[in-house]
Amino acid sequence: PHPSRRCSVSQNKLVERCERIQLQSAAIARHVDEVLPAKDQGVLSAASAARELVVQRLLLVGKACESEEQRLLERVHAEEERAHQSIVTQQVHWTEALHKLGALRTYLVDMITKLDDQGLLRAEQEIFERMEVAEGVLEPQESLKLNFNQTCVQSPLLHRLWACAVLCCLTGSQEIHIDEKTLSPHLSLSEDKRTLTFSPKKAKVDLECPERFDHWPNALATAPFHSGVCAWKVSVEQSCAYKLGVCYSSVPRKGSANEGRLGFNAASWVFSRYDKEFRFLHAGQPQPVELIKAPAEIGVLLDFAGRELLFYEPDSCTILFSHCEAFLEPVYPVFAVAHQSISLGR
C-alpha cells in the first residue's frame, strides 16, 4: 500500500487505542473513586448490621436463659421446701408416735410388775384399750414424698441448649475399638477394626468363647465408660438395619431367644433402624423416633452425672432421641448390623 495510506491506517489504530485506553482509564477511575468507596461503605454497613444481629440474637438467648434459670431455680427451691416440710411433718408425727409407744410400754411394765393376777384382770379392759392405740401406730414406710424430685429441673429449652453447647464444645469423639472376641459369627471386622459387615452366612468361629454373641449380629467395644461425658460417632449410611447404643457387660450373649436381642433386655439401651422404621429400645419397650430422613452418621453422647443417653446427628447437632437413665455400672458401646455395614467415626 501507498506509504501515506499506511500511515493513515496506523494513525487510526493509535487513535482507536487511545480512545480505548481513555475509556479503560475512566472505568478504572470510576471504580476507584465510586465503586470501591461504595463497596467499603457497604462492608462497613454489613459488618455493623452483622454485629448488631449477633448482639441481638445472643441478647435474646441470654434473656431466655435468664428467664429459664429463674424459673427452674424457683422450681428447685419449691421442691426443696416441699421435701423438707414433708420430712419435718414426718419427724413430728414419728416423734409423737415414739412418745406414745414409750408411755404405753412404761404403763404395761408397771401393770406387769405392780399388779397381781386379780388386779391385771380388773385392768384388762383398760390395758386392751391402751394396746389398741399402739396397734394404730404403723411402721414407717418408704415414701416418694420424702425424696427430692429431680423432674423439677426438666426443661426442653435447657436440655437443647445444654446438648448443643456440649456437642459444639466436643473437640472429637472418643477413640473406641470393637472387641473381636465379642463378634457374632454373622459379622466380620475390617483390618482397621472400625467397620462391621453383616453376612447371612455364619463364619466358622469359636462359639464357646464366653464373650462372643453366638446368634444375634452384635458386637461390643473393647473398653467401657464409667464417668464424665463420653461421645462417639458411627457412620450408618450404608445400612438400613442396625442398632447402636450402650449396654452392661451382663448383656445376654448366648442363644436365639428374644432376650439376647439388643434393646430387648434390661442391660442394653439402643437406637435402632429397620428399613424406614426408627426406634429407641430398652427392656423390650420400643419408643418410635420420627425422622424426616435417614441420618448418614449418628453420634452417641453419654453423660453419667446428668444421667442422660443422647443420640444426635453430628453435622447439625440435631437431637434424634434422648433417654434419662442412672447407670449403675460401667457401660460398653454396643453395635448390631443386619444389612451391609456400619463404621466407627474417627
Side-chain angles (χ1 to χ4, degrees):
H2 193 275
S4 62
R5 183 175 177 79
R6 284 175 58 194
C7 183
S8 177
V9 170
S10 295
Q11 284 179 337
N12 289 338
K13 285 183 177 179
L14 290 174
V15 169
E16 183 181 345
R17 172 62 68 180
C18 286
E19 289 177 348
R20 282 163 59 189
I21 290 173
Q22 187 177 3
L23 290 172
Q24 190 176 7
S25 298
I28 291 173
R30 187 169 60 254
H31 187 75
V32 171
D33 296 338
E34 299 175 13
V35 175
L36 290 181
K39 287 286 185 184
D40 193 41
Q41 188 59 46
V43 167
L44 291 173
S45 298
S48 177
R51 290 189 189 95
E52 187 176 341
L53 180 63
V54 169
V55 170
Q56 285 180 346
R57 287 189 172 180
L58 287 176
L59 188 63
L60 182 62
V61 171
K63 286 181 178 178
C65 288
E66 287 178 5
S67 175
E68 191 70 350
E69 177 187 20
Q70 185 63 31
R71 186 180 75 85
L72 291 176
L73 290 178
E74 288 175 359
R75 286 179 61 181
V76 169
H77 178 71
E79 175 59 18
E80 180 184 27
E81 286 292 306
R82 182 208 60 75
H84 175 69
Q85 191 56 49
S86 294
I87 292 169
V88 169
T89 301
Q90 289 270 307
Q91 285 176 329
V92 171
H93 171 77
W94 292 113
T95 299
E96 290 178 354
L98 278 175
H99 287 154
K100 284 182 182 179
L101 292 176
L104 178 60
R105 186 176 183 281
T106 301
Y107 166 78
L108 292 176
V109 170
D110 285 347
M111 292 293 103
I112 294 170
T113 56
K114 294 179 180 179
L115 295 181
D116 56 17
D117 292 347
Q118 292 297 324
L120 281 174
L121 288 173
R122 285 194 297 271
E124 185 177 20
Q125 182 62 33
E126 182 183 350
I127 292 172
F128 177 76
E129 290 173 357
R130 295 264 189 126
M131 289 178 64
E132 274 193 328
V133 172
E135 289 173 1
V137 178
L138 303 176
E139 289 189 9
Q141 300 292 325
E142 175 61 34
S143 171
L144 292 177
K145 292 181 180 180
L146 304 181
N147 300 333
F148 183 86
N149 186 357
Q150 293 288 348
T151 61
C152 70
V153 295
Q154 286 184 352
S155 159
L157 174 62
L158 178 61
H159 180 253
R160 288 189 175 276
L161 288 174
W162 168 83
C164 287
V166 171
L167 296 176
C168 289
C169 290
L170 286 174
T171 55
S173 58
Q174 256 81 5
E175 187 74 14
I176 61 175
H177 301 280
I178 294 167
D179 187 351
E180 254 182 302
K181 297 192 300 294
T182 68
L183 277 185
S184 158
H186 284 292
L187 297 180
S188 61
L189 188 60
S190 61
E191 286 187 15
D192 63 1
K193 302 190 185 305
R194 305 192 72 81
T195 299
L196 284 170
T197 302
F198 173 77
S199 171
K201 185 178 179 181
K202 284 188 175 184
K204 293 181 179 179
V205 293
D206 179 14
L207 296 178
E208 299 304 316
C209 175
E211 292 97 336
R212 189 180 304 281
F213 292 95
D214 67 357
H215 179 79
W216 298 105
N218 306 338
L220 280 184
T222 53
F225 294 116
H226 52 79
S227 63
V229 177
C230 321
W232 58 97
K233 302 172 187 176
V234 185
S235 174
V236 293
E237 60 184 335
Q238 302 297 324
S239 179
C240 63
Y242 59 80
K243 293 176 184 175
L244 48 99
V246 298
C247 71
Y248 292 149
S249 62
S250 59
V251 66
R253 307 192 191 197
K254 304 300 181 185
S256 59
N258 229 23
E259 182 70 9
R261 298 169 66 190
L262 296 182
F264 284 79
N265 51 66
S268 58
W269 299 257
V270 293
F271 181 92
S272 161
R273 177 186 179 184
Y274 183 75
D275 197 14
K276 296 180 181 179
E277 183 180 63
F278 297 89
R279 299 184 297 174
F280 172 77
L281 295 167
H282 171 61
Q285 300 295 321
Q287 298 183 55
V289 179
E290 300 296 332
L291 298 181
I292 297 174
K293 61 173 184 150
E297 188 177 37
I298 294 177
V300 184
L301 186 146
L302 179 61
D303 179 11
F304 278 90
R307 304 187 301 178
E308 184 160 27
L309 176 65
L310 189 145
F311 300 91
Y312 66 98
E313 196 168 23
D315 285 343
S316 63
C317 286
T318 301
I319 299 172
L320 305 176
F321 190 83
S322 177
H323 175 74
C324 185
E325 185 78 35
F327 294 102
L328 304 176
E329 56 187 273
V331 293
Y332 288 79
V334 68
F335 316 89
V337 194
H339 171 256
Q340 298 289 0
S341 63
I342 64 173
S343 300
L344 290 173
R346 293 190 179 276

